[in-house]
Amino acid sequence: VDICTSALPKDLHVLFNVVSNNYGGANIKIENYNIDITTFREEGEYKSRHPENVKYITDLKTDLERRDFTINAIVMDESGKVIDLLDGVNDLNNRTIKMIGDPFKRLKDDPLRILRAIRFATVLDFEIDDKLKDALKVNSSLVSSLSGERIREELDKILRSPNFKKGLKLFSDLG
């Protein structure tokens, strides 16, 4: 379960008696659930897959705009109401993986997004948006900058999917 909040990391520490990570997040375990809680944030320029600085904010939309794909920016409030500020529900209904913002820049910021796009398309049996597909082709060589462990983690998820042949075809088609 992923929770995003305007509560600051220091408040999370007091509420849940946990230590936050470098990006204002905390992980707690309740029974069989792993719950990741992150503070709304705005990120600076990326260096080596990570933002150089992080600023905690109170604006949900700004926080969502830093995420990777529109389907990962759909949120629900405490009453169960879906909040969809970036049209992720439409992409979910159309079974489309679409990058938030400029996919060429976003893939350069974090090349792991290349493998994540292929994994989501494979596991969910979704199509990749044409603009994102073009950016994946142009930036495919950036995967070599990732650690072997990160590549293996994503490949394992793709190859364990019942739809793994789609993933292999995407690797071939996207270079």
Side-chain angles (χ1 to χ4, degrees), residues 150-164:
R150 295 303 305 204
I151 293 170
R152 183 185 50 78
E153 287 173 7
E154 293 298 324
L155 283 175
D156 282 351
K157 292 173 186 175
I158 292 165
L159 295 175
R160 289 182 181 167
S161 167
N163 203 24
F164 72 92

Side-chain angles (χ1 to χ4, degrees), residues 120-134:
F120 283 122
T122 301
V123 172
L124 299 172
D125 197 18
F126 280 24
E127 296 304 314
I128 297 175
D129 170 74
D130 287 339
K131 190 172 178 182
L132 176 54
K133 198 178 281 187
D134 290 343

Side-chain angles (χ1 to χ4, degrees), residues 69-72 74 88 91-98 116-128 157-158 161-164 166-167 170:
F69 307 112
T70 58
I71 61 171
N72 286 340
I74 303 167
D91 291 333
L92 192 61
N93 290 334
N94 289 320
R95 304 176 64 82
T96 302
I97 304 299
K98 188 175 190 179
R116 285 176 49 87
I118 294 169
R119 173 170 53 97
F120 283 122
T122 301
V123 172
L124 299 172
D125 197 18
F126 280 24
E127 296 304 314
I128 297 175
K157 292 173 186 175
I158 292 165
S161 167
N163 203 24
F164 72 92
K166 178 175 187 158
L170 283 168

